[in-house]
């Protein structure tokens, strides 16, 4: 658009120059009339046309360079946007990997706590069984001793046997619980 306007302005001025000048005729011979200014006018017109063409070419080149620079800017902007997207994507992947790592660490810690709890439960049950067996042997020895002395009646002996049977039952239950706890511990350790 600017190029067209500039060309019109140059054409208008060139036209004005051609019309506005007076031509002086010089008589050399009575028969021939030579116009001196006409030759100068043609040269000026040629020079004006050359300048106009040079200006038009310069404008075209400037417009071409501007478009090329704009393309380069657009290309650089797209490249920057792509790089920004890639950076954001890489950051998301890194954050996701970090979260997964933290999740795995928490899961491992949770499993370790479960294993420790199961191990503690096994130890506690072993301790209870040991104490119950110790109580059982004491009760059995006490009953045997009392029966041997003959101090107890039949009812007292039966009561003592019932207490001993209850203690044996308690030991069996504790042993069953111990087996379950050990199975749980082995399952967690796998």
């Amino acid at each position: 658009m600017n190029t067209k306007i500039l060309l019109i302005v140059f054409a208008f001025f060139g036209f004005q120059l051609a019309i506005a000048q007076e031509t002086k005729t010089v008589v050399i011979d009575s028969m021939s009339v030579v116009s001196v200014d006409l030759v100068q006018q043609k040269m000026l017109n040629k020079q004006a046309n050359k300048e106009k063409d040079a200006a038009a070419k310069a404008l075209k080149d400037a417009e071409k360079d501007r478009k090329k620079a704009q393309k380069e800017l657009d290309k650089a902007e797209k490249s920057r946007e792509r790089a920004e997207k890639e950076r954001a994507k890489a950051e998301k992947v890194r954050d996701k990997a970090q979260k997964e790592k933290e999740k795995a660490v928490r899961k491992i810690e949770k499993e370790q706590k479960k294993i420790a709890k199961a191990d503690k439960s096994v130890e506690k049950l072993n301790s209870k069984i040991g104490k119950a067996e110790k109580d059982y042997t004491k009760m059995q020895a006490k009953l045997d001793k009392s029966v041997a002395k003959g101090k107890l009646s039949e009812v007292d002996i039966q009561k003592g046997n019932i207490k001993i049977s209850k203690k044996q039952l308690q030991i069996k239950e504790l042993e069953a619980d111990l087996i379950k706890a050990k199975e749980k511990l082995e399952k967690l350790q796998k």
Side-chain angles (χ1 to χ4, degrees), residues 5-170:
I5 292 172
L6 190 62
L7 289 174
I8 291 171
V9 168
F10 276 120
F12 178 76
F13 282 122
F15 184 69
Q16 287 294 329
L17 285 174
I19 294 175
Q21 292 182 355
E22 288 183 27
T23 57
K24 295 181 183 177
T25 57
V26 177
V27 178
I28 298 176
D29 190 280
S30 63
M31 294 299 241
S32 72
V33 176
V34 176
S35 174
V36 174
D37 286 338
L38 190 59
V39 172
Q40 284 180 345
Q41 181 65 33
K42 285 183 181 179
M43 285 181 64
L44 286 174
N45 281 344
K46 282 183 183 179
Q47 189 177 4
N49 283 340
K50 283 181 183 178
E51 288 176 2
K52 182 176 73 171
D53 290 344
K57 186 176 180 183
L59 280 175
K60 281 184 182 179
D61 289 345
E63 184 65 21
K64 193 184 282 185
D65 289 344
R66 187 193 64 77
K67 285 181 180 179
K68 188 175 182 180
Q70 185 63 38
K71 276 186 182 179
E72 290 296 321
L73 282 174
D74 292 345
K75 201 176 195 182
E77 181 65 23
K78 285 181 183 178
S79 177
R80 187 192 62 78
E81 287 175 359
R82 259 187 261 120
E84 182 67 26
K85 284 181 184 179
E86 288 297 322
R87 187 193 61 78
K89 188 176 179 182
E91 189 173 324
K92 283 182 182 180
V93 169
R94 184 174 39 95
D95 288 344
K96 187 176 180 180
Q98 181 68 24
K99 285 180 183 178
E100 290 293 325
K101 182 180 175 185
E102 290 171 359
K103 186 177 177 181
V105 167
R106 283 194 303 270
K107 186 175 180 181
I108 289 170
E109 287 175 353
K110 188 175 179 182
E111 290 295 321
Q112 291 295 328
K113 285 180 182 178
K114 283 183 179 180
I115 290 172
K117 186 177 178 183
D119 194 34
K120 190 174 181 181
S121 175
V122 168
E123 289 176 14
K124 191 174 180 182
L125 284 171
N126 277 331
S127 172
K128 281 186 178 182
I129 290 172
K131 186 178 177 186
E133 285 177 346
K134 188 177 178 183
D135 288 346
Y136 169 76
T137 54
K138 279 185 182 179
M139 289 173 71
Q140 186 69 43
K142 185 177 178 183
L143 183 65
D144 288 344
K145 190 176 179 181
S146 296
V147 170
K149 287 184 179 180
K151 292 183 175 180
L152 299 176
S153 65
E154 274 303 310
V155 175
D156 289 335
I157 293 172
Q158 290 301 321
K159 284 182 182 178
N161 283 336
I162 290 173
K163 283 183 182 180
I164 290 172
S165 295
K166 284 183 180 177
K167 191 54 88 171
Q168 282 178 329
L169 183 61
Q170 183 184 8

